[in-house]
Amino acid sequence: MSTPTNESLDVFVKGLWRENPVFVMLLGMCPVLAVTNSVINALAMGLATLFVLVMSSALVSLLRNVIPKQVRIATYIVIIATFVTVVDYSIQAISLEVYLALGAFIQLIVVNCIILGRAEAFASKNGIGKSILDALGMGIGFTFALLCLGGVRELLGNGSLLDINILGPHFEPWSVMILPPGGFFVLGAWLLLFSWLKERSERRKTEKEASHVG
Amino acid sequence: MSDDSLGFIFLNACIINNFVLSSFLGICPFLGVSGKYETASRMGFAVMFVMLVSSVCAYFINTLLVQLDMEYLRLICYIAVIASSVQLVEMVMKKYSPALFRSLGIFLPLITTNCAILGLALFQTAKGYNFLECVVYALGAGSGFTLALVIMSGLREQLSLHDVPSIAKGAGLTLMVAGILSLAFMGFAGLGS
Amino acid sequence: MEQQAIPAAPVANPRKMVAVLSGVAALSGLLIVGIFQFTAPFIEANREAMIERAVFKVVPGGTEKQVYGFDENSVSPDPTAARFGDRFYAVYDDNNTLKGVALETSGQGYQDVIRILYGYDPVRQVVTGMTVLESKETPGLGDKISKDPNFVANFDALDATVDPGTGDLAHSITVVKNGKKEHAWEIDGITGATISSKAIGAMMDQGLKTSLPRLLPHLDKLKKAAL
């Protein structure tokens, strides 16, 4: 698939779906479950993570030939923690309400395995352009996954999307969806759906091949 | 029960606001190493140990930072302290208790990126606990984490013997079970009042 | 994993390791201090606006506020009073007359500690409003303490008369079952959020009983302080 011409496109696209950090690689689950009880929280968290991911990937990639191998993890963590602090203060300055809703999870971006994972597995081995593309893809994929969860949970748990009532006044909200168990249930349901779709497409393929042979 | 007694802090961290099931901290190891009872309980104890060490370190670091008026360096200091205390624990354990190291050792590097540890440090700072309260809070959070992991591993060991639809094998089913477990833990919420 | 760009360093060079680590640390320190200095005024303004909104919500008609601290046996203007519960806000209108005070209190709710701010009018001796500052109560159930308009309306004029003899509340604030409110000092509870609504009532009762004896004898100080 990755011919040289669309290789960089592929670097970007793979994070969106084929190697989606949440749905496929099951990374960074804590914020995925914790802050997705509404679309706006999910969006804020996704953008904050995207920013940290892109900035730290870029810096790690720039410094990749300078950093000695033995202290690379320590250096990455310092770089990531710096950008998280930057995001932390910026969000406080932009909107205190959003900051209070996300709670400690902004600061916990530091230990989100996606960021350290991309720094170690991709940015430390590739040029800055490619690293930024990779980080953008992964970050957007992560935000997309957060929105998938946040959308379902807010719609079922509150009858609204982005605080705009959608399901009307007669809808009795499923409060459990915005509570902790709802996070587990909705993510579990998405994973079941994806693996069902995958299995079905594989079964079709083998059936087709079988009928072809037959 | 008064809301600031040591017993209540322990109960609160362990059961009412269980780190894994109601605060969503430490989900990665919770999903990753809860397949077998044996590994789950060892991981739990390793986490509890590191929590205790880093909670104490974080308490002193924060006291120092507040005195110097440099709270904006808190996050970076905490993460550095946690990473190095994990390393330290690993080295000390290797030297003085090789048996313990063999059983817990492989989990230690994983713990550095366990958000429950950093979360603990941040929460205790936000709640303004004193030294003793920090220690009790760390013990409570650690036992809560171990409890969640052990219960989950018991359930998953049972489930692995049953015939589940092929699409549900793996993370999907685990998350559903975790949801039910979390629902059960919600029942503890009224304990404090 | 394939290693393309990083040549496997055969021998660690300690000097280089230290140099790189300190370089990165210096860079990050610079960045953090920079952003802290840059955002500090905005954050301060946001925080101030948030407190102001809450204070003017619980003391209707106010346009100006002044932070006071509780001392050993008096009250005094103290903008630096930082400890929750040890400070309160005196609220004035455009003519610099005291409209009321906004007091903080907290207590254990269903899930975790709840912190509230409530207004008190020392002349009419009633609670004039209540807003939840911090709560982790169950969404859809316990969080009705801040979202249910009928419950919040309980605090628009909640009787908190002080008995001149004892200096204590004439009637304790009590939470009754929804629809059973008969007296002005009773709070109509929320069906389905009994524990949370009772917690609010209990912490307000507690807060009034500890704060009013410390506050009411010094009311003159509040009036004079308004310039």
Side-chain angles (χ1 to χ4, degrees), chain A residues 15-97:
Chain A
L16 300 184
W17 187 249
R18 206 174 64 246
E19 289 181 22
N20 186 290
V22 177
F23 289 140
V24 181
M25 310 207 311
L26 295 178
L27 287 176
M29 299 308 253
C30 302
V32 169
L33 293 166
V35 300
T36 52
N37 46 16
S38 75
V39 176
I40 189 81
N41 286 356
L43 190 65
M45 186 69 198
L47 293 180
T49 311
L50 178 69
F51 173 80
V52 176
L53 190 54
V54 170
M55 294 306 281
S56 40
S57 279
L59 197 58
V60 165
S61 167
L62 268 183
L63 296 176
R64 70 184 188 281
N65 294 325
V66 186
I67 301 171
K69 212 169 167 242
Q70 291 80 359
V71 294
R72 69 183 192 287
I73 299 289
T75 319
Y76 299 161
I77 287 183
V78 170
I79 291 174
I80 295 169
T82 307
F83 286 117
V84 172
T85 313
V86 169
V87 166
D88 185 68
Y89 281 115
S90 310
I91 292 187
Q92 280 190 60
I94 295 168
S95 165
L96 215 51
E97 278 84 4

Side-chain angles (χ1 to χ4, degrees), chain C residues 25-203:
Chain C
L27 193 75
S28 79
L30 226 70
L31 206 62
I32 290 179
V33 173
I35 196 88
F36 176 73
Q37 298 287 1
F38 178 70
T39 55
F42 295 99
I43 296 173
E44 194 47 45
N46 274 347
R47 208 159 268 165
E48 189 64 18
M50 203 176 212
I51 294 172
E52 208 145 77
R53 265 204 306 280
V55 167
F56 294 152
K57 192 178 149 200
V58 297
V59 183
T63 51
E64 206 181 321
K65 69 167 178 33
Q66 165 83 44
V67 188
Y68 275 79
F70 283 115
D71 301 336
E72 199 65 24
N73 42 28
S74 180
V75 294
S76 56
D78 184 5
T80 55
R83 228 181 113 84
F84 186 88
D86 277 353
R87 63 183 166 198
F88 65 95
Y89 306 92
V91 184
Y92 311 96
D93 66 5
D94 286 331
N95 305 322
N96 285 336
T97 37
L98 184 72
K99 295 296 288 181
V101 291
L103 297 149
E104 295 165 326
T105 186
S106 64
Q108 177 69 33
Y110 187 66
Q111 184 80 36
D112 210 333
V113 174
I114 306 176
R115 292 173 195 273
I116 61 170
L117 183 81
Y118 62 96
Y120 183 73
D121 183 338
V123 180
R124 292 190 293 146
Q125 303 212 323
V126 288
V127 171
T128 53
M130 184 276 296
T131 183
V132 178
L133 298 176
E134 190 187 321
S135 113
K136 285 195 203 133
E137 299 302 282
T138 322
L141 297 171
D143 75 341
K144 284 187 187 154
I145 52 170
S146 56
K147 290 189 180 150
D148 184 341
N150 292 331
F151 182 72
V152 178
N154 273 309
F155 303 96
D156 287 349
L158 185 70
D159 181 38
T161 317
V162 174
D163 188 328
T166 58
D168 214 339
L169 281 188
H171 306 281
S172 288
I173 307 287
T174 38
V175 180
V176 294
K177 276 205 175 133
N178 190 289
K180 293 270 161 62
K181 175 170 169 151
E182 285 172 354
H183 303 286
W185 58 84
E186 285 175 343
I187 299 172
D188 241 340
I190 308 171
T191 315
T194 319
I195 295 180
S196 305
S197 49
K198 279 198 169 152
I200 297 286
M203 75 182 75

Side-chain angles (χ1 to χ4, degrees), chain C residues 3-33:
Chain C
Q3 304 267 327
Q4 313 150 342
I6 303 176
V11 187
N13 181 350
R15 213 175 297 162
K16 194 187 171 198
M17 287 204 284
V18 171
V20 169
L21 265 182
S22 0
V24 170
L27 193 75
S28 79
L30 226 70
L31 206 62
I32 290 179
V33 173

Side-chain angles (χ1 to χ4, degrees), chain A residues 91-110:
Chain A
I91 292 187
Q92 280 190 60
I94 295 168
S95 165
L96 215 51
E97 278 84 4
V98 172
Y99 180 76
L100 293 176
L102 296 178
F105 281 93
I106 293 287
Q107 302 197 349
L108 287 173
I109 295 176
V110 179

Side-chain angles (χ1 to χ4, degrees), chain B:
Chain B
M1 207 183 298
S2 101
D3 51 308
D4 48 4
S5 72
L6 291 181
F8 183 73
I9 290 176
F10 182 85
L11 211 62
N12 187 33
C14 179
I15 294 180
I16 303 175
N17 286 310
N18 185 286
F19 265 44
V20 179
L21 295 169
S22 74
S23 301
F24 293 121
L25 295 168
I27 299 287
C28 295
F30 176 66
L31 297 178
V33 295
S34 64
K36 279 209 186 83
Y37 170 74
E38 190 84 344
T39 41
S41 57
R42 281 183 189 164
M43 177 69 177
F45 284 113
V47 166
M48 185 152 43
F49 192 57
V50 175
M51 270 185 173
L52 201 59
V53 174
S54 50
S55 161
V56 170
C57 294
Y59 174 77
F60 286 116
I61 290 279
N62 189 46
T63 319
L64 186 72
L65 286 180
V66 167
Q67 257 167 21
L68 294 174
D69 237 352
M70 284 167 43
E71 280 108 329
Y72 45 85
L73 290 179
R74 189 181 283 145
L75 184 65
I76 215 163
C77 287
Y78 278 5
I79 190 74
V81 162
I82 288 168
S84 38
S85 69
V86 170
Q87 288 263 298
L88 199 71
V89 166
E90 195 176 348
M91 284 191 281
V92 170
M93 212 185 254
K94 205 174 194 170
K95 177 121 170 78
Y96 293 104
S97 173
L100 193 63
F101 179 75
R102 268 197 299 281
S103 66
L104 296 184
I106 50 160
F107 298 117
L108 286 171
L110 282 176
I111 294 175
T112 315
T113 50
N114 180 343
C115 49
I117 313 274
L118 184 63
L120 176 87
L122 293 171
F123 285 170
Q124 76 181 28
T125 314
K127 290 181 186 237
Y129 282 156
N130 65 27
F131 180 71
L132 200 59
E133 285 168 338
C134 282
V135 171
V136 172
Y137 190 56
L139 281 176
S143 348
F145 184 82
T146 314
L147 185 71
L149 230 65
V150 165
I151 295 177
M152 192 65 195
S153 66
L155 288 171
R156 282 180 69 179
E157 277 193 355
Q158 287 293 317
L159 273 176
S160 66
L161 302 174
H162 289 79
D163 188 26
V164 292
S166 57
I167 56 160
K169 278 189 180 124
L173 184 67
T174 313
L175 280 164
M176 286 297 180
V177 174
I180 297 170
L181 204 55
S182 159
L183 211 52
F185 264 72
M186 269 176 60
F188 291 116
L191 270 182
S193 36

